Amino acid sequence: MAVKIYIIYYSMYGHVARLAEEIKKGADSVEGVEVKLWQVPETLPEEVLGKMGAPPKSDVPIITPSDLAEADGVLLGFPTRFGMMAAQFKAFMDSTGGLWGTQQLAGKPAGIFYSTASQGGGQETTALTAITQLVHHGMIFVPIGYTFGAGMFEIENVKGGSPYGAGTYAGDGTRQPTELELGQAFHQGKYFSGIAKKFKGTA
């Protein structure tokens, strides 16, 4: 039976969505897994999003808490807001109280990926503060550590991501994930799939 991996994200300007797509490619490269992309619900009115210059949402399905319970492992992605996950993703996590009450997510592996505007904008704090959500659900955090190899030590060029997970910098919104950042995202998907299979006992 295939291991179900859900990649769940919120993306206002497309940066996190791009990472999610690449993570899915990496996860799909592992035999015996079934990978699906999901978005969390938007909480801002269309009028506000329009004034913020946000593009239309993609046709990736919107997840509900009951959908989340079906996954064997999850990868959660979001942009940062003042060093923490965006409110839209936090609102979704706040809606999972029923799953917490029944401990339906306990023992399941979970990873994190993210986007920030700048190098000091929360590449580590966004992931670090998000771990509290996993802890209260009894989930098992799976970081990538330094398994990405030499790419983790790149200092000549600006690179998002950290041992916590894949990441990118959005800058003023025009900067897009680099090949190295996308490579790290692919690696995270592949690496996480392998770990999820071990948890499921199918590796």
Side-chain angles (χ1 to χ4, degrees):
M1 190 173 189
V3 176
K4 286 188 177 182
I5 296 176
Y6 286 177
I7 301 168
I8 307 157
Y9 68 90
Y10 174 75
S11 189
M12 179 173 285
Y13 296 107
H15 299 82
V16 176
R18 184 68 187 89
L19 291 179
E21 291 166 0
E22 205 64 24
I23 288 172
K24 183 178 186 299
K25 291 178 184 177
D28 278 332
S29 73
V30 177
E31 187 178 353
V33 298
E34 178 185 322
V35 190
K36 187 170 183 178
L37 287 174
W38 297 89
Q39 297 183 84
V40 301
E42 179 59 79
T43 59
L44 292 176
E46 288 295 331
E47 180 182 0
V48 173
L49 290 170
K51 290 179 179 179
M52 296 176 73
K57 299 296 184 193
S58 72
D59 58 0
V60 170
I62 305 297
I63 196 166
T64 66
S66 59
D67 294 319
L68 182 60
E70 299 171 357
D72 296 311
V74 297
L75 284 155
L76 313 176
F78 29 78
T80 188
R81 299 292 184 266
F82 300 110
M84 302 173 68
M85 67 169 62
Q88 288 87 342
F89 208 98
K90 181 60 167 62
F92 172 71
M93 294 305 298
D94 287 348
S95 74
T96 62
L99 300 180
W100 169 79
T102 53
Q103 289 296 285
Q104 291 186 63
L105 301 181
K108 295 185 178 184
I112 293 169
F113 60 103
Y114 42 83
S115 172
T116 69
S118 64
Q119 288 178 290
Q123 284 282 312
E124 291 197 356
T125 62
T126 302
L128 185 61
T129 53
I131 291 173
T132 60
Q133 310 294 310
L134 310 182
V135 169
H136 282 265
H137 275 291
M139 303 185 84
I140 300 168
F141 177 49
V142 180
I144 61 171
Y146 283 83
T147 59
F148 186 48
M152 295 297 296
F153 299 93
E154 171 60 46
I155 59 173
E156 296 300 322
N157 298 294
V158 174
K159 182 191 78 68
S162 73
Y164 291 95
T168 189
Y169 295 113
D172 62 1
T174 59
R175 182 186 187 274
Q176 294 299 313
T178 65
E179 287 303 312
L180 186 58
E181 290 169 341
L182 294 175
Q184 187 178 43
F186 182 95
H187 170 76
Q188 183 173 13
K190 184 177 181 179
Y191 178 75
F192 183 85
S193 286
I195 298 295
K197 285 182 66 176
K198 290 179 180 178
F199 273 93
K200 190 70 173 177
T202 60

